[in-house]
Amino acid sequence: MSIQIAEQPKITMDVFEQWESEVRSYCRSFPTVFSRAKNARMWDTAGNEYIDFFAGAGSLNYGHNNDKIKQKLVEYILEDGVTHSLDMATVAKGRLLESFVHHILKPRNMNYKVMFPGPTGTNSVESALKLARKITGRETVISFTNGFHGMTLGSLAVTGNKFKRQGAGVPLHHTVSMPFCKYHGDEADTIAYIEKYLEDSGSGLSLPAAMIIETVQGEGGVNVASDSWLRKLSELCKRFEILLIVDDIQVGCGRTGTFFSFEKAGIEPDIICLSKSIGGYGLPLALTLFKPELDIWEPGEHNGTFRGNNLGFVAATEAINYWKDSEFEQSIQHKGQWIEETMQQIKDAYPQIEMEVRGRGMMRGIAFTEAEWAEKLCRTCFENGLIMETAGTDSEVAKVMPALTIEAELLQNGLNILKDCARQLFTKAQ
Amino acid sequence: MSIQIAEQPKITMDVFEQWESEVRSYCRSFPTVFSRAKNARMWDTAGNEYIDFFAGAGSLNYGHNNDKIKQKLVEYILEDGVTHSLDMATVAKGRLLESFVHHILKPRNMNYKVMFPGPTGTNSVESALKLARKITGRETVISFTNGFHGMTLGSLAVTGNKFKRQGAGVPLHHTVSMPFCKYHGDEADTIAYIEKYLEDSGSGLSLPAAMIIETVQGEGGVNVASDSWLRKLSELCKRFEILLIVDDIQVGCGRTGTFFSFEKAGIEPDIICLSKSIGGYGLPLALTLFKPELDIWEPGEHNGTFRGNNLGFVAATEAINYWKDSEFEQSIQHKGQWIEETMQQIKDAYPQIEMEVRGRGMMRGIAFTEAEWAEKLCRTCFENGLIMETAGTDSEVAKVMPALTIEAELLQNGLNILKDCARQLFTKAQ
Amino acid sequence: MSIQIAEQPKITMDVFEQWESEVRSYCRSFPTVFSRAKNARMWDTAGNEYIDFFAGAGSLNYGHNNDKIKQKLVEYILEDGVTHSLDMATVAKGRLLESFVHHILKPRNMNYKVMFPGPTGTNSVESALKLARKITGRETVISFTNGFHGMTLGSLAVTGNKFKRQGAGVPLHHTVSMPFCKYHGDEADTIAYIEKYLEDSGSGLSLPAAMIIETVQGEGGVNVASDSWLRKLSELCKRFEILLIVDDIQVGCGRTGTFFSFEKAGIEPDIICLSKSIGGYGLPLALTLFKPELDIWEPGEHNGTFRGNNLGFVAATEAINYWKDSEFEQSIQHKGQWIEETMQQIKDAYPQIEMEVRGRGMMRGIAFTEAEWAEKLCRTCFENGLIMETAGTDSEVAKVMPALTIEAELLQNGLNILKDCARQLFTKAQ
Amino acid sequence: MSIQIAEQPKITMDVFEQWESEVRSYCRSFPTVFSRAKNARMWDTAGNEYIDFFAGAGSLNYGHNNDKIKQKLVEYILEDGVTHSLDMATVAKGRLLESFVHHILKPRNMNYKVMFPGPTGTNSVESALKLARKITGRETVISFTNGFHGMTLGSLAVTGNKFKRQGAGVPLHHTVSMPFCKYHGDEADTIAYIEKYLEDSGSGLSLPAAMIIETVQGEGGVNVASDSWLRKLSELCKRFEILLIVDDIQVGCGRTGTFFSFEKAGIEPDIICLSKSIGGYGLPLALTLFKPELDIWEPGEHNGTFRGNNLGFVAATEAINYWKDSEFEQSIQHKGQWIEETMQQIKDAYPQIEMEVRGRGMMRGIAFTEAEWAEKLCRTCFENGLIMETAGTDSEVAKVMPALTIEAELLQNGLNILKDCARQLFTKAQ
């Protein structure tokens, strides 16, 4: 492995503090300069090694610099395959379409058209909202408490976080925030709540164009919608001819154990947003899927300069090979259970600290009633070589979301660090 | 050069027609499957060669698969440099910051903080609008007739095109569209017009947070704002404490002959949006620049998953080397004049067809009073191996925008095709 | 009594059908031409007499053409007292201010400034919303399911009725509709629901400027907020520094048995809207009351041509005399109970028809599970000489709201008609 | 004439300062308590007499307490004619409809349906905007610089005044403010300006539902739209199928010399708003007129409690008698010229003070380049027994708008006071 990068004048945190905007954020939680990465490991310029339980906020399901994908990328670059193509037809794009249709959609009996809306999650969400409004001729979209869908104005309007919303600098319109599964406690039937608003013509709610939902709210605090809740929501949408948009940007591409997060619930969304790990290698890419009969776009009605990021196409095509048999799915389930058991052990070991273990597949979290524990735990983990982020509006959840491809031993090592750090912190607290 | 791609089952236009959404657009104008590209040349799967006067809508100023950049990219990938990093500090990002500051900003006496707002132009525009509204506590933003700034709701609200705006499916708010330079003819002083609205407290216009402008409107029809108009606009902004945002996404990075498009006018924008060619190799990347005193962001107040696209950082860093001396600038000026002269010759040769030659640097266009000529001309060019797109609301402008690095001979060949096609079409029309 | 009006060519329903807009509505439910009225009686041009249980939708609490007020009005007109004065100071306006302060506010220990926002309820609501937003610098206002506050855009945005809202022709913004008392059934604690949205910074709800509420929803279906619910709501507002606006336009001025509808609950709204019966004689008048410390208006920041309707001032001043002792209050309570008992008897007599008796004071309603019964009942009553309207989004409530001054005998006659019509209808239904 | 009012404890300005909101405004310009009024004269409690050149901001075209109308009102009240009727059919309403159709519309060959939208100007404007949006299915409405249409949110959004707009406390949407006649100077063709925005699909302007215009802007500064400008505007609306709404609330009912202000221009608005003097006696009343084919309202889609103000109907019906022959029109023209000549004399007498004489019919104004002169002039006039208000965004216009029925001698006296006060002020200024 070359060490050429290190030969140049050294990059330190000063560079970022001096020249980059105050808006920077993760570099404050993980204050070191990273140079290399492989699968679930990262190294900084000082040579320290970290286990990565963060995985690019869900963009690195196949790990950092996955060797199989890497090979395809380098070959493609060396051959001078088209890199940037807007939405012209290219071989790389065609291959991705074919592969996605034949290895992802068809085996799941899913019939969807594929749109390339621009290479980020928020592009996909914006395109989904536009399409839903165009199809129905309605303006309102129902979003859910603690949902997160992106930072451009259309996506931000369906995002719950007050701090992010205020950043808009303008009031956010045409959306209504309804309670997510169990938002008002285990007893309250939030589906019935929404139904009443839809049924009653005096409720103040216009018939919405769409509902947009994450089946597991990643940023919102690892909140899991139950399968039955999702099914009822889907039925409600059907009954009122409201389009159902599933934002699978963070929890799709295998994160919950199946390619799409809603497979277990057995629902059929009208529109699906994909990004993050769809790009395979951490490269910017996003797809919007919708049922063929909904494809009423005019040519160019939505567009974007980088919707033809061919390196992303190449990487995505290779990544799809992980889904050709069921082995990958099984390993996710297995590892996910492992994480959950560890978290449960932590919870059981310190009954005086109020915790709740949440999540599905390989997205798991410990929610703390006293929010600050989550941040303390993540900070301690980082000091011990484990990268983890918090989630939830008050950063009250310590979230574990490693590469799906993480080696068993490394996962064990990481979980051990987590347990050790918990012990270190919570024993003192007793 | 390997031919492995061609060995797989062949990708045809059918793949796109069957699986991709109707929203696809450029693949309708250029209906062939492209496989390889180099500098200003592209090849399709049938082996046809095309000269590219389109350059990824301005994303490929340094050409397709620029060899210098390519080498750095491959090295970086082979070394397992961090690919995806959100906004964590990485060596690649640090290098880009240093290079951008030392080789672009400092030589121009520009003091700006750098924000990575997400990897597309619309991310940059959305971040600029948010920041301007946050700083001023005002909501309204003035945009300009025929301006184009992006397709997410915030950017779309400052975009003039009716078709694109209607795609929003909701009314677009908090913006007012004012007349661009010469919008009401050469005589009408549109600055005075705007001034009157600002001065008169009965005009119905709220004091805006910002004005957002392209110095040359690329999508809008290659409309050039004069230097004096830009200076007056800048003074108007200063007088009323309105922030001036220059969207240099398409016309920055050298397109007009200088790195920033506004250098000749001598104005100092408060906020600058960069994307497209800033990524060097056609890779998704965007920057938002603002004066240090405007950097009042809270950490994480705007974010995005792919704001840490390190391949983009590596490519951008290498591309900046083109700006280390004045040679590159001179060659752009030179080639730009060449294009303009050719267009002028075409105009002069067919006086019965009403044309206007427009543009600056290497973005030039022929505007036709009868709009359909532009499309016919571009179509004929494509049939003759030259890729060109139309611009303007009614697609009334045939736009020439090759890689800045295009070889002189190839530029000549392309211009010859353009002249030949014009002759073919316009002679018949006489 | 003169019969001069009848001597002119006769006015028939044709006049209205031919010249008046299709928007006309009550004249369809009560299709006859009315000529004279006195207290709770109306006569049409054919000489038919009607008992009026509708009272101008709550504007005629003191009856039609109340003799005491009538005398003052005629005197004032004959003396050429100022009739129209914008917001110049007039004797008539001064007298009203003094009387209102000394006989209404002071005895209730209420300290409020008085604003004349224009002579209709919607003017008062619009002024209240403006003031609340100005004071807090916030935009969102919480309204309640099935609330009704008026038909101009600001008021309509806080109104629940979908049909009315769609009439706006534009999306209605800056408001959120929260569940009214018992909206989700007797068990669901809607206060806790709202509280959760306010507490959780991920709920998608911005901190609102105000909540606007009717303590009994008149148009919305005679829905009564319980005293404890109102107190909790008031506490919630205090805790989050949200202004509480009580819209007492329909249920104020004695309708519920006390001058203000919220006296029993013991809450202290920040802003109070009054109109309808405040004008005493059915004359256009509205007041907005607010605590002195909230009076941060600039002169003329809200205005209106007819805010100085002096005939309204004269009538209102005289009407206030009804409140100088407790006798009037007692009679309302008494009559109200009487109405309720009659309704309860109807309900008990026809167990096969699902009914619910609702209301407070002299606003009472029978809500039918099968909505059409309400309209049938009101139609039958009208055919039998009793004027009553329906309420509720689906017109599912038969509402009784006579003049508070109705003679005991006439009230009895009216209630007898109601019972007879119910018998006529519901016996058939068995 | 009785003096009973004066016998009660005296009303002083203290009452208003103590109890009325700070929002009060005209009582600050005219700080005295008025008790009686007749035609163009008012008296205060101290017995001072004032000549009224203000006429209730245009609501008293037939003078204060017009004797003919007064007689009808008193008769109606004494007979117990229905006072308040919502939109039930009453004899008084039927008479007004007949009279308005036969004596106003038919002689002018106008075929319009009549809507009673609630009793104030802003109710009429809100109903007009709703209807235009409903008919066209479009949201945007074009309003004009310095237009004034009311203070509820819908009307405020088409009002130009920044101070009033800011009072909304929320951004005002769905409207675009275009330049009024001569807004950019005598040379600039503002019709061409608007046309360009409508023609160019890149202008950023959506096709609007309607344009709303005052032919003479009363509050905006007595700005007169020329007949040819109005005709061109009307043609533009026809060409683009945009509805033309004329707000004749202040300048209708004879103010400009004809019943409708647009008669001279010969245009045919699609929708007309009337209020202020339509009520005859200064009583709250408003009408919305529209062509029969536009009457697509659903019953009750717009409503209001006081849309059945029968005293207003009675007064309005009697006032219409003024229009049965041409004598009244001629007297307005004559008096209007008289006012204009006086103003011209003032302008000519003090060349060192920059003035412009503006207006039509009996709405005239002197606009001062140095705004403060207008206020000084009005204040001095008031001190000398003449009531006049300022107009214009900066209160730069001294406006004269007496009752159309003002006695010739009194008009002369008032104009003499105006001349004297001008002399007093402007001579000193030399």
Side-chain angles (χ1 to χ4, degrees), chain A residues 279-414:
Chain A
Y281 202 75
L283 298 178
L285 187 65
L287 306 182
T288 314
L289 314 179
F290 28 83
K291 297 191 176 163
E293 63 271 23
L294 304 182
D295 189 14
I296 63 165
W297 285 112
E298 294 290 317
E301 199 169 0
H302 180 91
N303 62 25
T305 290
F306 293 114
R307 65 199 187 280
N309 180 22
N310 285 259
L311 298 193
F313 301 156
V314 169
T317 305
E318 179 58 30
I320 285 170
N321 289 330
Y322 277 92
W323 299 95
K324 285 189 171 162
D325 59 36
S326 63
E327 199 184 317
F328 192 52
E329 290 201 6
Q330 283 161 18
S331 81
I332 301 166
Q333 303 283 7
H334 183 70
K335 290 175 188 167
Q337 257 176 296
W338 202 350
I339 302 169
E340 194 198 10
E341 282 159 19
T342 306
M343 288 183 165
Q344 199 58 49
Q345 288 163 15
I346 292 172
K347 177 183 152 76
D348 294 345
Y350 313 99
Q352 75 287 8
I353 311 275
E354 226 173 303
M355 303 183 216
E356 188 191 329
V357 175
R358 300 176 178 169
R360 282 180 58 201
M362 287 179 74
M363 177 188 278
R364 301 283 174 171
I366 308 178
F368 293 90
T369 304
E370 287 176 70
E372 58 270 30
W373 282 123
E375 214 155 316
K376 280 184 198 162
L377 183 56
C378 290
R379 196 163 51 241
T380 310
C381 285
F382 180 70
E383 289 160 10
N384 287 274
L386 177 65
I387 297 173
M388 272 177 62
E389 71 163 340
T390 60
T393 302
D394 301 319
S395 299
E396 76 277 14
V397 179
K399 186 160 90 168
V400 164
M401 187 167 59
L404 308 180
T405 54
I406 189 170
E407 301 84 354
E409 198 190 321
L410 202 65
L411 177 57
Q412 186 59 68
N413 292 351

Side-chain angles (χ1 to χ4, degrees), chain C residues 9 57 82 129 150 167 184 212 221 253 280 296 334 344 393 409 424 428:
Chain C
V82 177
L129 299 176
H184 291 301
I212 183 165
C253 300
I296 63 165
H334 182 71
Q344 199 57 50
T393 302
E409 198 189 320
Q424 201 178 318
K428 277 189 289 192

Side-chain angles (χ1 to χ4, degrees), chain C residues 166-169, chain D residues 127-138 208-210 241-243 245 270-271 290-297 301:
Chain C
Q166 283 176 340
Chain D
S127 70
L129 298 177
K130 280 185 186 178
L131 184 60
R133 284 164 170 151
K134 180 179 166 78
I135 289 165
T136 58
R138 305 174 205 143
E241 300 191 333
I242 298 163
L243 297 173
I245 305 171
D270 297 290
I271 306 180
F290 29 83
K291 296 189 177 164
E293 63 272 22
L294 303 181
D295 189 14
I296 63 165
W297 285 112
E301 199 169 0

Side-chain angles (χ1 to χ4, degrees), chain A residues 27-337:
Chain A
C27 60
R28 300 172 194 262
S29 305
F30 311 119
T32 190
V33 181
F34 294 96
S35 54
R36 282 195 306 122
K38 197 80 197 173
N39 204 10
R41 259 179 285 212
M42 299 187 80
W43 294 270
D44 66 15
T45 50
N48 300 307
E49 181 178 310
Y50 300 86
I51 301 177
D52 182 6
F53 270 19
F54 178 20
S59 301
L60 295 164
N61 284 2
Y62 309 101
H64 289 277
N65 302 325
N66 182 299
D67 274 330
K68 289 181 201 153
I69 302 175
K70 175 175 167 178
Q71 189 189 337
K72 296 290 181 185
L73 273 179
V74 172
E75 279 174 16
Y76 189 80
I77 295 172
L78 289 176
E79 279 162 358
D80 285 330
V82 177
T83 302
H84 180 285
S85 62
L86 291 153
D87 69 350
M88 295 194 281
T90 65
V91 172
K93 185 175 175 180
R95 294 247 178 278
L96 172 58
L97 275 168
E98 282 198 336
S99 187
F100 188 75
V101 168
H102 291 298
H103 301 305
I104 302 294
L105 296 182
K106 291 215 164 155
R108 288 165 182 79
N109 282 315
M110 290 170 69
N111 187 14
Y112 287 79
K113 294 291 279 293
V114 180
M115 174 182 180
F116 296 84
T120 70
T122 198
N123 291 117
S124 178
V125 170
E126 295 258 352
S127 71
L129 298 176
K130 280 186 186 179
L131 183 60
R133 284 164 170 151
K134 181 179 165 79
I135 289 165
T136 57
R138 305 174 205 143
E139 278 134 354
T140 302
V141 169
I142 286 182
S143 59
F144 290 87
T145 51
N146 288 301
F148 180 88
H149 301 283
M151 295 296 278
T152 53
L153 284 199
S155 305
L156 195 50
V158 287
T159 290
N161 187 291
K162 187 183 284 189
F163 167 63
K164 304 283 189 198
R165 290 177 74 87
Q166 282 175 341
V170 290
L172 296 167
H173 296 311
H174 311 295
T175 58
V176 172
S177 178
M178 284 285 167
F180 193 73
C181 184
K182 299 191 183 162
Y183 188 66
H184 291 301
D186 288 2
E187 300 311 307
D189 179 356
T190 59
I191 294 289
Y193 181 93
I194 302 166
E195 192 170 28
K196 171 83 173 166
Y197 265 82
L198 288 168
E199 280 175 342
D200 176 13
S201 64
S203 69
L205 176 69
S206 305
L207 184 61
M211 299 197 193
I212 184 164
I213 189 134
E214 302 151 284
T215 65
V216 184
Q217 296 182 322
E219 299 305 305
V222 194
N223 307 312
V224 179
S226 72
D227 292 344
S228 68
W229 192 87
L230 288 171
R231 278 192 293 271
K232 281 188 211 158
L233 194 77
S234 171
E235 282 154 25
L236 204 59
C237 284
K238 282 204 182 70
R239 179 176 156 211
F240 288 96
E241 300 190 332
I242 298 163
L243 297 173
L244 179 60
I245 305 171
V246 170
D247 175 342
D248 240 11
I249 292 170
Q250 182 160 138
V251 295
C253 301
R255 179 54 58 189
T256 65
T258 50
F259 186 84
F260 294 106
S261 73
F262 50 81
E263 293 180 38
K264 195 152 79 65
I267 61 171
E268 245 186 280
D270 298 290
I271 306 179
I272 302 164
C273 298
L274 289 176
S275 184
K276 295 207 185 235
S277 282
I278 194 70
Y281 202 75
L283 298 178
L285 187 65
L287 306 182
T288 314
L289 314 179
F290 28 83
K291 297 191 176 163
E293 63 271 23
L294 304 182
D295 189 14
I296 63 165
W297 285 112
E298 294 290 317
E301 199 169 0
H302 180 91
N303 62 25
T305 290
F306 293 114
R307 65 199 187 280
N309 180 22
N310 285 259
L311 298 193
F313 301 156
V314 169
T317 305
E318 179 58 30
I320 285 170
N321 289 330
Y322 277 92
W323 299 95
K324 285 189 171 162
D325 59 36
S326 63
E327 199 184 317
F328 192 52
E329 290 201 6
Q330 283 161 18
S331 81
I332 301 166
Q333 303 283 7
H334 183 70
K335 290 175 188 167
Q337 257 176 296

Side-chain angles (χ1 to χ4, degrees), chain C residues 97-118:
Chain C
L97 275 168
E98 283 199 334
S99 187
F100 188 76
V101 169
H102 291 297
H103 300 306
I104 301 294
L105 296 182
K106 291 216 164 155
R108 287 165 182 79
N109 282 316
M110 291 170 69
N111 187 14
Y112 286 79
K113 292 292 281 293
V114 180
M115 174 182 179
F116 296 84

